[in-house]
Amino acid sequence: MSEPTKNNKKSGTYTTTYKIRFYTNNLEYLKLTQQIYNELIEIYYNLIFKYDELLTLSNQKCMRELEKLTIIGLTGERPPEYFDQNAPTELRRAAINHAIGLAKSYTELSKKAKENPKQKKPNKATTFNCSTTFYKGMYKNIEPNGTVEIKLYDGEKWRWYKAKFKNWNFPENAQIQSPTIVINKDYVMAHIPVKRKIDDITPIKERMKDENVRVCGIAFSNTDKVATCVVIDRQGKVIKTLFVSGGNEYKNQITKILNKQKRNILNNKEIQQTNNNHKNYRKKTNQIINYYSHVISKKIIDFCIQNHVQVISTALSTKDKAYYYTKSKKNRPIYLRENITNYINYKAFRKGILSTIVPRKDKASKCYKCGGEIQSRKLKTKCENGHQMDYYFNYAMNVALESLRKYGIKI
Ligand SMILES: [Zn+2]
């Protein structure tokens, strides 16, 4: 059998922002730098409204005009809005872009408020406390161990200072973009956008027109088989099925910790100690949840790649979110559903597979072959018309078929 090939692949890029702790021995200089950055934002923000025709320009053109207004050019003449600047070009440009962003969003909101009287009128910004974005030229030499150099103002001069990203994993096949350094009360964070190439960003609607499109439907369960995945083709024919187990193992691990926690509450009279332990238990349960969500989602993605799936379909009901926040149900395998779905979505996307969601209603309770009622919730079940099947296989089939129907394919 020849494997289907993806026609007319459209490649693209996508950016995720990593948020990681940032260590510097020069917090004071960082604060000083941020102050200068915000002074620049304020000046340029006000200039944009003084010359408000600038708002109609693209960001890049707008920046060029603002620089022409404020910076001495080749002619050596002072432009009309010249002011004494003590900042590297890259810091100024980041500040200008920030100011343009703020001004444009203000204009956008005012426009909306004019069109819709119910919408609140926005206020122009008067104070600025933005986190500094370090453009290339303000940062350099990110090493695989996470050290980086950033240019800071020390009250006298702009100098390079060493700093460090905590737990930095150099992303492979990716491009690091300008980090924003966020100063919090007790700690500093770096928000680092990372740009990756995606093999295929063709929208689902287009993919579904492809004769060879393959869809994977996923059904989550509260049993040991946490996820059941069925790959079907455009005609609804089953290509391959995967049952992912691990539900019991997960349940046991979480239960152990929850039981320990219970005992601990009974035995421990000291409130501070109990609070600390609580934190530890929560950390441990979260680690387990993350671990299983990663492992299970990876199995599903690998399976989808092997079987040339282009669209993944999962089912969601409005009740699912509420369930997720019932913390007492952490020890049930179905609790993993939300995390696994999130992981699948972003992992799949990186591999050029898109995800879609269908309503969960009737997916488990109706037979995928005839639409008849499913007789019992047992694993081996049958419908009122006698079709025998695995309960979760039927569920996953309905989820897969529904995604085809959603895009107008008649089954
Ligand atoms: Zn049936």
Side-chain angles (χ1 to χ4, degrees), residues 280-303:
N280 279 334
Y281 289 129
R282 198 162 53 232
K283 205 173 151 194
K284 271 186 196 156
T285 49
N286 284 342
Q287 273 170 359
I288 295 173
I289 290 166
N290 282 334
Y291 171 79
Y292 281 94
S293 305
H294 265 301
V295 170
I296 292 163
S297 59
K298 186 171 186 307
K299 278 186 189 158
I300 295 173
I301 296 298
D302 289 346
F303 169 74

Side-chain angles (χ1 to χ4, degrees), residues 80-179:
E81 301 291 346
Y82 174 82
F83 65 99
D84 202 11
Q85 282 191 31
N86 164 33
T89 310
E90 298 83 7
L91 189 82
R92 177 180 71 234
R93 293 202 166 144
I96 294 179
N97 257 335
H98 214 130
I100 295 173
L102 290 172
K104 284 198 170 167
S105 91
Y106 167 81
T107 325
E108 196 63 30
L109 287 172
S110 318
K111 218 170 88 191
K112 273 190 192 153
K114 252 185 215 156
E115 286 161 6
N116 180 2
K118 274 186 199 156
Q119 197 104 25
K120 218 180 126 211
K121 253 187 98 179
N123 290 321
K124 249 186 212 169
T126 50
T127 54
F128 297 83
N129 191 16
C130 307
S131 298
T132 317
T133 299
F134 286 76
Y135 280 10
K136 212 164 236 154
M138 288 296 291
Y139 77 94
K140 65 177 183 185
N141 299 339
I142 300 181
E143 299 293 338
N145 67 0
T147 56
V148 59
E149 286 176 65
I150 52 171
K151 205 188 251 183
L152 298 175
Y153 190 62
D154 60 14
E156 206 183 286
K157 254 186 138 171
W158 291 89
R159 289 195 179 94
W160 288 101
Y161 289 95
K162 279 221 162 97
K164 195 168 162 68
F165 301 119
K166 192 189 175 188
N167 298 334
W168 175 253
N169 280 319
F170 203 87
E172 276 174 50
N173 306 323
Q175 203 188 329
I176 293 151
Q177 300 190 301
S178 309

Side-chain angles (χ1 to χ4, degrees), residues 3 75 194 199 217 227 231 257 297 306 319 321 327 329:
E3 293 297 351
T75 56
V194 172
D199 290 345
V231 177
I257 290 170
S297 59
Q306 273 163 25
K319 287 182 208 147
K321 270 259 185 281
K327 301 269 190 238
K329 290 172 180 169

Side-chain angles (χ1 to χ4, degrees), residues 223-329:
T223 69
D224 185 46
K225 285 191 274 181
V226 192
T228 302
C229 314
V230 186
V231 177
I232 61 171
D233 66 13
R234 205 171 183 272
Q235 285 71 45
K237 201 182 102 205
V238 179
I239 308 286
K240 198 128 193 178
T241 306
L242 175 77
F243 295 100
V244 188
S245 52
N248 290 347
E249 207 181 288
Y250 166 76
K251 195 165 140 186
N252 292 340
Q253 294 221 23
I254 289 280
T255 310
K256 251 189 230 163
I257 290 170
L258 293 180
N259 286 345
K260 258 194 207 165
Q261 187 177 11
K262 259 188 225 155
R263 279 202 299 277
N264 188 270
I265 294 167
L266 292 175
N267 297 337
N268 220 321
K269 301 272 175 333
E270 305 224 7
I271 291 171
Q272 187 53 43
Q273 184 63 28
T274 312
N275 280 346
N276 283 341
N277 285 336
H278 267 313
K279 250 192 202 163
N280 279 334
Y281 289 129
R282 198 162 53 232
K283 205 173 151 194
K284 271 186 196 156
T285 49
N286 284 342
Q287 273 170 359
I288 295 173
I289 290 166
N290 282 334
Y291 171 79
Y292 281 94
S293 305
H294 265 301
V295 170
I296 292 163
S297 59
K298 186 171 186 307
K299 278 186 189 158
I300 295 173
I301 296 298
D302 289 346
F303 169 74
C304 287
I305 293 169
Q306 273 163 25
N307 290 290
H308 308 274
V309 167
Q310 277 135 284
V311 178
I312 291 177
S313 176
T314 52
L316 193 72
S317 110
T318 44
K319 287 182 208 147
D320 292 349
K321 270 259 185 281
Y323 187 95
Y324 194 73
Y325 289 105
T326 324
K327 301 269 190 238
S328 59
K329 290 172 180 169

Side-chain angles (χ1 to χ4, degrees), residues 5 8 72 74 100 104 126 143 159 187 193 221 251 287 353 372 375 377:
T5 51
N8 311 319
I72 296 174
L74 293 173
I100 295 173
K104 284 198 170 167
T126 50
E143 299 293 338
R159 289 195 179 94
Y187 57 94
S221 93
K251 195 165 140 186
Q287 273 170 359
I353 304 169
Q375 300 284 286
R377 293 196 57 163

